[in-house]
Amino acid sequence: MSRIGDAARPPLVMGLLLAGLAACSDGGAPSETTAPGRWTTSPEPVLDVGEIDGDPRYLFSRITGVRLLPDGAFAVSEFSSRAIRVYDAEGRYVVSMGGPGEGPGEFGDINHLTVLPPDTLAAYDISTLRLTRFLRDGTLVGTTSFEPAGGWPEVFLGTYADGGAAVASLVPPPRGGSEIVPDRMVIGRYASDGSLVAVVDTVPGIRRAGGTAVVPFSPFMHAWLLDDSVYVTDGTEPVVDVLGADGRVARQIRLSIQRPDLDAAWRVLRVELAARDRSEWIEDVAPGVAEEPVPVISESMVDRDGRIWLKHYEPATDAALLRSGAMAGGLWTVVEAGGRVVTEVELPVGFAPMDATGRTVLGIHRDDLGVERVRVYELVG
């Protein structure tokens, strides 16, 4: 069953989950911004949901999404059950929806979970290229299948006000040779029926040597749809581009995030791989790989308040050869959609944030045995 820190916690958790920040501002010229302060998490989670064994409603394996609902309840999508589960603000199981399969309301691999106002749950299934919508009581609302935009519609970015959606399709580079080239991520705007309306932009994704091997410090595409605008960065620079309707950069958000030293990053990578008995993974690197710059951003999320969270790149945990599961932790910059930096947040090792509101953040914790839990922390500072 779920576990809560103590009997006095639930009212506090509810209050924290319902607390919000002021509405995000828009516009503003591109300028470098710094965080006004730094937050940390409470020493212990204010809510901890999950068990090692027992009741399957509280067992998790490869959680892919955790999203807040307006009253402080939250939804969790995970791979083992191919389902979405809803828990109340005190961490008690409420209902499940979905399950394995290809029929209506079933899933093969949920890779994105979101909440459509006010409280409709929407899950994107990368195996069927389909968005499925449920009411929070589990009632199936409908499904939308997306037409490929020159590649595999892999990353769901969000929904437009008119009911359409933005999805990025993966187009890998040709195989062969030793040249380092990135995947192409084709961001498409789709109508509410899933048909492609227009290509918004094409941006770089994972960088590969010879079209296959991922560069050890490869960047990743980070993109979101906020207020009908696409925000995108590949993390190589501390800059987020905000695209206009024509796909051109309408404005930029520039952040003060330092790039890790390249030589130090390689030293750390070699030590980590040796510790895992995987030194051979970089014995025969392609020409030019060692000179590839280290990104400045490694992870991202958008929270319920519309704030963008960006993780500062850490070679010891974020290198493409080392990434595995919920191990985010580290230092994050939190910025409003309009470009104002809210703060920096230091998160615990092993905790990967999935949503937040006000001074509360919730996400996945994975222990040394691989056991996953949903945890809620208060942000202090």
Side-chain angles (χ1 to χ4, degrees):
M1 61 185 295
S2 64
R3 300 190 312 203
I4 301 172
D6 56 63
R9 286 300 189 183
L12 173 62
V13 172
M14 177 66 81
L16 289 168
L17 292 176
L18 296 178
L21 292 184
C24 298
S25 60
D26 290 321
S31 60
E32 187 168 309
T33 53
T34 57
R38 181 172 296 185
W39 296 346
T40 58
T41 60
S42 51
E44 298 294 332
V46 295
L47 189 66
D48 185 15
V49 180
E51 298 293 344
I52 298 175
D53 54 31
D55 190 336
R57 299 176 300 175
Y58 297 96
L59 302 180
F60 301 111
S61 176
R62 215 189 88 183
I63 295 173
T64 59
V66 183
R67 302 298 293 182
L68 282 165
L69 292 163
D71 61 353
F74 57 92
V76 182
S77 60
E78 60 102 51
F79 183 75
S80 65
S81 63
R82 271 66 159 194
I84 303 166
R85 303 178 204 161
V86 175
Y87 300 82
D88 67 18
E90 297 179 359
R92 293 184 293 245
Y93 170 82
V94 178
V95 68
S96 293
M97 56 204 77
E102 297 182 355
E106 297 176 334
F107 298 105
D109 189 357
I110 301 171
N111 76 333
H112 183 90
L113 178 66
T114 190
V115 178
L116 305 178
D119 59 358
T120 296
L121 294 165
Y124 186 65
D125 185 344
I126 191 174
S127 67
T128 60
L129 310 182
R130 188 171 64 191
L131 184 73
T132 301
R133 300 176 300 282
F134 296 94
L135 299 181
R136 61 180 296 170
D137 65 2
T139 302
L140 177 64
V141 176
T143 61
T144 304
S145 297
F146 293 97
E147 173 188 345
W152 187 260
E154 183 179 68
V155 184
F156 185 83
L157 307 186
T159 56
Y160 289 95
D162 64 4
V167 183
S169 294
L170 168 67
V171 182
R175 293 173 178 265
S178 59
E179 185 180 2
I180 299 171
V181 292
D183 294 342
R184 292 168 51 230
M185 304 299 296
V186 182
I187 300 174
R189 177 166 185 161
Y190 292 82
S192 58
D193 64 358
S195 60
L196 181 65
V197 175
V199 171
V200 177
D201 196 8
T202 299
V203 299
I206 294 173
R207 294 180 63 78
R208 303 179 187 274
T212 55
V214 178
V215 170
F217 296 117
S218 173
F220 294 80
M221 183 200 74
H222 307 271
W224 326 272
L225 183 63
L226 294 169
D227 299 324
D228 280 6
S229 293
V230 172
Y231 290 63
V232 63
T233 179
D234 68 356
T236 57
E237 299 292 339
V239 177
V240 176
D241 291 333
V242 184
L243 306 182
D246 59 1
R248 296 181 179 180
V249 178
R251 59 186 175 89
Q252 293 182 316
I253 300 172
R254 298 183 180 273
L255 304 165
S256 294
I257 302 178
Q258 299 300 312
R259 186 186 308 280
D261 178 77
L262 180 59
D263 291 338
W266 273 98
R267 288 195 295 270
V268 167
L269 178 61
R270 289 189 173 92
V271 169
E272 290 292 330
L273 289 176
R276 304 179 193 199
D277 197 24
R278 292 291 185 269
S279 296
E280 72 278 4
W281 285 2
I282 56 172
E283 286 179 355
D284 299 315
V285 296
V289 167
E291 286 73 44
E292 284 282 300
V294 182
V296 297
I297 296 167
S298 62
E299 303 278 358
S300 67
M301 76 164 186
V302 173
D303 69 19
R304 203 182 79 184
D305 297 329
R307 302 172 298 185
I308 302 168
W309 291 54
L310 301 167
K311 184 178 186 290
H312 299 208
Y313 197 98
E314 296 181 15
T317 57
D318 297 331
L321 293 180
L322 302 174
R323 295 162 65 100
S324 62
M327 56 184 295
L331 184 63
W332 297 65
T333 289
V334 183
V335 60
E336 292 178 346
R340 185 182 74 87
V341 174
V342 178
T343 189
E344 291 179 340
V345 180
E346 187 74 41
L347 295 179
V349 174
F351 176 73
M354 302 295 287
D355 204 353
T357 185
R359 286 291 190 108
T360 299
V361 60
L362 76 164
I364 311 164
H365 178 269
R366 175 178 287 175
D367 65 21
D368 293 339
L369 299 177
V371 176
E372 292 183 347
R373 292 180 170 85
V374 175
R375 285 187 171 175
V376 180
Y377 285 94
E378 178 184 1
L379 296 173
V380 295

